[in-house]
Amino acid sequence: MREIPTQLCFSLFFFLSQRIFFTEMVMAQNKTIPVNVGVVLDMDEWVGRMGLRCISMALSDFYASHAHYKTRLVLHAKDSNNSVVGAAAAAQDLLKDVEVQAIIGPRTSMQANFVINLGEYAKVPIISFSATSPSLSSIRSAYFVQACLNDSSQVKAITSLIQAFGWKAVVPIYVDNEFGEGIIPFLIDALQEIDVRLPYRSVIHPSANDAEIIAELYKLMTMQTRVFIVHMSITLGSFLFTKAKDVGMMSEGYVWIITDGITNSFSLMDQSVIDSMQGVLGVQPHIPIRKKLDEFLIRWKTKSQQESPVDAEMNILGLWAYDAITALAIAVEKVRAMNSSFQKMNTSENPKDYFEIFERCKVGKDLHQTLSCIRFKGISGDFRLVNGQLQSSAFHIVNVVGKGMRGIGFWTPKTGLVKELNRIDTEVYSTSKANLKAIIWPGDTAFAPKGWVIPTNGKKLRIGVPVKDGSSYFVNVTRDPSTNSTTVTGYSIDVFDVVMATLPYHVPYEYIPFQKPDGKSAGSYDDLVYQVFLGKYDAVVGDVTIVANRSLYVDFTLPYTESGVKMIVPVKYREGKNAWIFLKPLTWDLWVTSACFFIFIAFVIWIIEHQTNEDFSGSRSHQIGTSFLFSFSTVVSAHKEKVVSNLARFVVIIWCFVVLILTQSYTASLTSMLTVQQLEPTVTSVHELIEKGDNVGYPKGSFVLALLKRLNIDESKLKVYNSTDELHIAFSKRRIVAAFDEIPYMKLFIQRHCGKYTMVEPILKTDGFGFGFPIGSPLVPDVSRAILNVTEGDKMDGIEKAWFVEHTNCPDPSNLVTSNSLSLSSFWGLFLIVGVAASFAVIIFIAMLLYEHRGFLVRLDPKTLWKKLVVMVRGIKKNGQNAKGVDGHREACVASFPYPTSPSTNCPTNPSNFSDDTKGIILAF
């Protein structure tokens, strides 16, 4: 048989004596009710002994301050022998032989899984202060109380830390048991919420030896990810970090984050292990500083040094044990007050089948429900259960530096990361690293690692490149028949080489053509992109367009070329010689507008000038002819009529300026049409293609085919071509009348065939050419920044000249407009100016006229006011301006009819009938 340790015997004797003491008090005083409570712990381990001692001290403290309570918890301790079977056997003995009404323990999550089922069957609450696995809650037992923080409660704190530094991939390292696996589903969900990948999961067996741990660490070193989350017990964690230090994984560039599985027991680690963990980050539950806690720790340390100096260390598990038994003592007292059969059940005879009694009673269920409602301030913080689980208020973010851990901040569910809990000025959730204190990272550096590196095993990145029939200026794959080796060149290849050379670190890579054994292309560009998703290639480089469906399988960098798809068509020469070409320089709307303004200006000049200028007087036909002649003759500056009014001169000056611009523009446009051969596209729009049912070309293996189908072009009219040479032949033989392709290809094609083709609007939007990497690849942001640096510098110009300089001297017909006619849109500003100026002049003229004859207008009969105003405006002349014509006629009339009385007389009214203000005014019809 196994020899019982001396410390275990001492502990058992201590608690047996305590049980006898409580029993004698009940029998002697007959005032208290003993309640049997089982304790299942690993007595040969430090956590078990610490937990049992804290439970004992908690009962002593509680009943010392609650002497009036009628119930007393009587502890019955059982050793689980550090095994699942031992824990189950101990719990069964306590349930059947001792008739306990609650069980504290067991210590581990694996043991708790079995004991919970026993408690569910026996209707007895199982209260654990150290089984932290979230998987225990999935059992959904109505009799299980997790009086410790669930491991999933720290996940948000860890992901906030990852989010603060922008790491995009992490690798969890956890023990292969229920404790380790329980946190993984919650961790995955939380990381997915912040778009962080788990490219690999490192699972280590609980009994793994040094060789197995080292082998796993070397495997991790070959990966890009350098951020690791360690979730395991302190024993296995110590081995892991010691070996990580030996293989060089505690150096600069690495990030290690430990869960509270290690931080809670950090004080138990040897200094040699702590030295190997320098720079590690960790999270642990925050324990508020209280006077009660300080007093307890002092008493604990004193008592532990007296009884067992080896067990003098204390951690949060002991505090949870203290609060758990306190909560149970409160709950038992409340249940006794509510249940009259409570005492009778405890004093009953032990039946043959113990579990039958518990199935018939409700005490166990009431006890669990009461525990769920218990609220008090314990030594570990606020004790509050929700759905049978202890709730956390905050986590402490720590950094391993020197001989221990240094606090760098806190995390709370409401505010996220903060430096100090007592300095929270806002409740806005934050994941900013500015809310953390200075951190010392592995390798004794103050600079935060980027979280990934190129693998150190010398493996080159496999870069997939497309293979096309014929030569390509963007990607060209050639094979040497003698050596069977391939060479990859092209514009896209040179750009990628320059971009990778500008990165602040070296990235080894090699180009792998996407081809069959016979050298032919192995598929379309979509197939090539999908190979990156499958892991065959580490990236894809070439003339690969960034489109939505491809972005589902890879992450693209920023584009390095112009974006868009355009239609290309042949051009035809338009002869500029025909009888009516003189009308072509101006569009019809500009012709009509110009004619209207000539008439308008003639009318304005007549209004202003016909009363004072003899050139605009006379019969109505003479006035109209003179006004139009004056207006239209401004085109050639040949008008002989003179204007005498300053307002008219103002209008004429502005109008002559407008006419000058119109005539000069007309002359230039007509000259161009008569002397230069004009190029115009054979097709001007996609709608024209669809209406005529013409054949349309598209490149083989391109996404352009799907784009054309969305344009509702008949699929029978879509013709594929493999290269630009085939495209030219198809146009020459009139197999197609138009083709669609990306702008970089079309520009190169037009330059190779000078003056034969042109691009036609509209542009179908795409995002240009880009480099594709696996989803979540840390290279994407760095390569994108390098692309910006290259495209904005002189290197890109050098690459373009190297590949396209032989064609740059050819003019691009796409820059020629399809019509040289001048439209109204180019001149409406001039017409607006002259229209406003002329209208303004007319308004001033009428205002001056009305002001000058205001006295006459006041005395007119309102019934005939409008008619006489019209007559006045049409015939008023100033006195003495036309003495020969008008005054002579007036004198003759006056001699014959001094005072005419007939309204039909041809003589003007006697001036004496008007006021002094109207002297010298006559009406001339």
Side-chain angles (χ1 to χ4, degrees), residues 713-733:
I713 298 178
D714 188 356
E715 293 189 33
S716 63
K717 302 298 182 181
L718 300 177
K719 308 299 179 182
V720 65
Y721 62 87
N722 294 322
S723 64
T724 54
D725 293 335
E726 287 190 14
L727 175 61
H728 178 60
I729 294 174
F731 275 125
S732 301
K733 295 184 177 181

Side-chain angles (χ1 to χ4, degrees), residues 22 25-26 29-35 58-74 292 323-338 342-343 367 370-371 373-376:
F22 279 114
M25 288 184 61
V26 173
Q29 301 178 7
N30 196 24
K31 293 182 179 180
T32 59
I33 303 172
V35 179
L59 289 180
S60 299
D61 295 343
F62 182 78
Y63 288 123
S65 59
H66 297 79
H68 60 283
Y69 273 27
K70 298 297 183 180
T71 56
R72 293 293 186 272
L73 300 186
V74 180
K292 183 178 180 180
D323 290 342
I325 197 66
T326 302
L328 180 60
I330 297 173
V332 166
E333 181 68 16
K334 289 186 176 181
V335 170
R336 181 208 64 82
M338 295 184 298
F342 186 87
Q343 183 175 358
L367 187 58
T370 304
L371 273 172
C373 300
I374 297 297
R375 302 286 188 275
F376 65 93

Side-chain angles (χ1 to χ4, degrees), residues 408-420:
I408 59 172
F410 297 88
W411 177 89
T412 66
K414 291 184 178 180
T415 60
L417 299 177
V418 292
K419 286 185 179 180
E420 300 291 343

Side-chain angles (χ1 to χ4, degrees), residues 601-620 622-624 626-627 642-645 648 845-846 849 869-878 881-882 886 924-925:
I601 294 299
F603 176 71
V604 171
I605 297 300
W606 175 80
I607 289 178
I608 299 175
E609 290 288 319
H610 87 281
Q611 301 176 25
T612 58
N613 194 334
E614 294 181 356
D615 292 335
F616 294 90
S617 302
S619 63
R620 292 183 178 180
H622 175 75
Q623 295 181 38
I624 294 174
T626 301
S627 299
K642 295 182 180 180
V643 292
V644 297
S645 172
F845 170 75
I846 294 175
L849 185 63
L869 281 176
V870 173
V871 172
M872 184 184 71
V873 172
R874 296 169 67 183
I876 290 180
K877 289 186 176 181
K878 291 186 178 180
Q881 296 247 335
N882 196 359
V886 178
F925 298 96

Side-chain angles (χ1 to χ4, degrees), residues 204 207-218 235-236 238-240 242-244 246-247:
I204 298 179
S207 59
N209 55 36
D210 293 351
E212 293 172 337
I213 293 177
I214 291 175
E216 183 65 20
L217 291 174
Y218 276 125
T235 303
L236 189 59
S238 298
F239 290 144
L240 176 72
T242 300
K243 299 307 174 184
D246 294 341
V247 300

